[in-house]
């Protein structure tokens, strides 16, 4: 007699947009990718991806890196010599989720402004810049995050970024964009990628957050900086050989998965609308991240995560009272319906 087996439905995973799996079309392009040795600069698919991304942002060159953290840290080292200073938001990915790499690898000192997400005040940043002399660590660059992860996926307005560019120019310091989710900002506000690119000395852009690739980010900048970036990447252990298999996934994502990000934004808005009556939204929802503040709830973020997991919904716990829900390519409307059902049931307790 056959065993009586009951299949368990796959969980609705709202932890991150990094949990997506390559689509069949993406897998086919990866399998068919023309490859070579990228350390020798001979992988044609990697070269094509780098040229394509550089052109999208209006820059001379780009460099493929295995991870977003490596891409950020390469860019920071391009702009800030050892022993000198980077300014950024206190909740920025480069100082929160990169395990102290700026200091440990680049010898870079960091100083932060109070967490502001997308609502940063350029004049606050300007007042923090330290010039040479005065026996103080001189500021060499400013970094911003677009969209802002811990800022609930907020989009920094183009006018704010333009003012930061003016401030950086006046002070003679560099400006870096952690653009891991810049594709979301582009879709949400309709700002051309080249307009963003024109404002920054360096950018990092990710292929595995939103675009569905299994790995990979790029550093974008001038030809001179990217030549130096290749040396830094090699020093950090990021030189890859037949990396065209991964680059092909990124190229597929750029062609097929950018405009569809609007669907993720709509699904995030649906979740936010359903949870708004419970007073748990930490801020407005502009893109694919729904930030939750459980300060006024009778339970903390870990308890929410455990209760949701029991019911087949996975959420990201970012702190004792902070949680995050992220929509993505692998989440459909049925998954959103299930998440709303489970989460509203928990918040009604």
């Amino acid at each position: 007699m056959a065993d009586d087996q009951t299949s368990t439905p796959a969980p609705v995973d709202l932890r991150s947009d990094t949990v997506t799996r390559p689509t069949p079309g993406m897998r086919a392009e990866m399998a068919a990718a023309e490859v070579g040795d990228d350390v020798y600069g001979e992988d044609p698919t990697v070269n094509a991806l780098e040229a394509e991304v550089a052109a999208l942002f209006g820059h001379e060159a780009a460099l493929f890196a295995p991870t977003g953290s490596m891409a950020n840290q390469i860019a920071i080292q391009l702009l800030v010599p050892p022993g000198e200073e980077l300014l950024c938001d206190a909740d920025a990915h480069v100082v929160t989720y990169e395990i102290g790499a700026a200091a440990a690898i680049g010898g870079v000192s960091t100083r932060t402004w109070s967490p502001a997400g997308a609502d940063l005040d350029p004049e606050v940043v300007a007042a923090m810049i330290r010039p040479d002399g005065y026996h103080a660590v001189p500021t060499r660059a400013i970094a911003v995050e677009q969209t802002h992860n811990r800022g609930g996926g907020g989009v920094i307005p183009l006018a704010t970024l333009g003012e930061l560019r003016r401030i950086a120019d006046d002070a003679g310091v560099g400006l870096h964009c952690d653009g891991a989710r810049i594709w979301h900002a582009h879709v949400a506000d309709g700002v051309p990628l080249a307009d963003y690119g024109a404002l920054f000395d360096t950018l990092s852009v990710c292929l595995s957050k939103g675009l569905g690739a299994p790995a990979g980010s790029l550093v974008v900048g001038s030809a001179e900086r990217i030549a130096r970036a290749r040396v830094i990447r090699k020093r950090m252990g990021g030189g890859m050989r037949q990396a065209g298999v991964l680059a092909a996934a990124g190229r597929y994502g750029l062609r097929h998965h950018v405009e569809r990000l609007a669907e993720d934004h709509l699904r995030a808005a649906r979740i936010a609308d359903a949870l708004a009556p419970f007073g748990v939204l930490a801020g407005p929802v502009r893109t694919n991240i729904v930030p939750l503040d459980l300060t006024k709830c009778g339970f903390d973020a870990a308890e929410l995560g455990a209760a949701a997991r029991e019911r087949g919904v996975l959420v990201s716990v970012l702190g004792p009272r902070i949680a995050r829900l992220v929509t993505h390519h692998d989440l459909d409307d049925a998954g959103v319906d299930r998440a709303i059902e489970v989460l509203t049931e928990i918040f009604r307790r």
Side-chain angles (χ1 to χ4, degrees):
M1 188 171 69
D3 292 337
D4 181 13
Q5 294 182 344
T6 302
S7 62
T8 302
V12 177
D13 198 338
L14 299 175
R15 291 173 299 171
S16 177
D17 45 10
T18 61
V19 302
T20 56
R21 296 153 296 180
T23 63
M26 182 179 286
R27 288 175 184 269
E29 291 212 8
M30 293 171 70
E34 186 180 359
V35 298
D37 191 323
D38 183 49
V39 172
Y40 287 112
E42 295 174 357
D43 190 303
T45 307
V46 171
N47 293 342
L49 172 67
E50 291 172 343
E52 181 179 356
V53 171
L56 284 173
F57 288 92
H59 276 261
E60 292 178 331
L63 178 71
F64 189 47
T67 71
S69 292
M70 183 179 287
N72 271 331
Q73 294 305 320
I74 290 170
I76 289 169
Q77 291 178 58
L78 291 174
L79 298 178
V80 186
E84 301 186 351
E85 181 179 78
L86 174 76
L87 301 180
C88 63
D89 185 287
D91 273 347
H93 194 282
V94 295
V95 292
T96 305
Y97 294 119
E98 298 183 12
I99 320 297
I105 299 173
V108 172
S109 179
T110 55
R111 195 156 47 95
T112 60
W113 59 84
S114 296
D119 298 322
L120 66 94
D121 182 347
E123 292 308 316
V124 169
V125 180
M128 294 177 65
I129 295 174
R130 289 171 171 161
D132 288 314
Y134 305 104
H135 304 285
V137 179
T139 303
R140 295 301 183 211
I142 301 162
V144 295
E145 192 172 325
Q146 180 76 312
T147 62
H148 198 296
N149 176 16
R150 288 183 65 90
V155 182
I156 304 173
L158 191 66
T160 300
L161 297 175
E163 182 62 13
L164 279 177
R165 177 73 268 173
R166 182 194 65 77
I167 289 167
D169 287 343
D170 288 349
V173 303
L175 187 61
H176 171 64
C177 178
D178 174 359
R181 294 184 176 91
I182 200 166
W183 322 108
H184 284 279
H186 162 64
V187 170
D189 277 4
V191 174
L193 295 171
D195 287 4
Y196 283 131
L199 296 172
F200 295 99
D201 298 294
T202 57
L203 303 94
S204 65
V205 298
C206 187
L207 304 171
S208 63
K209 293 185 177 75
L211 300 192
S217 290
L218 293 101
V219 185
V220 182
S222 68
E224 181 273 332
R225 286 195 173 104
I226 297 305
R228 289 195 287 127
R230 290 186 181 278
V231 176
I232 297 170
R233 184 185 68 175
K234 181 68 171 174
R235 183 179 297 130
M236 294 175 69
M240 297 180 286
R241 301 299 179 174
Q242 287 70 36
V245 175
L246 292 174
R251 297 192 74 198
Y252 184 93
L254 287 170
R255 290 198 310 275
H256 297 283
H257 294 166
V258 174
E259 296 307 320
R260 66 148 306 280
L261 294 174
E263 300 172 25
D264 296 341
H265 301 175
L266 290 173
R267 289 178 176 128
R270 280 187 56 208
I271 296 172
D273 288 345
L275 299 184
F278 301 99
V280 294
L281 296 182
V285 174
R286 291 288 322 282
T287 54
N288 70 320
I289 297 177
V290 182
L292 303 180
D293 181 352
L294 307 181
T295 303
K296 297 179 181 178
C297 287
F299 48 84
D300 62 21
E303 291 170 321
L304 171 65
R309 181 180 285 271
E310 286 180 0
R311 292 161 176 79
V313 175
L314 307 181
V315 307
S316 183
V317 176
L318 301 183
R321 293 281 176 175
I322 301 172
R324 181 189 73 172
L325 314 173
V326 185
T327 57
H328 50 77
H329 188 279
D330 286 11
L331 179 71
D332 59 14
D333 288 329
V336 170
D337 291 341
R338 178 62 180 152
I340 288 173
E341 177 186 354
V342 167
L343 293 171
T344 54
E345 177 186 316
I346 293 170
F347 284 122
R348 284 194 187 102
R349 290 180 178 179

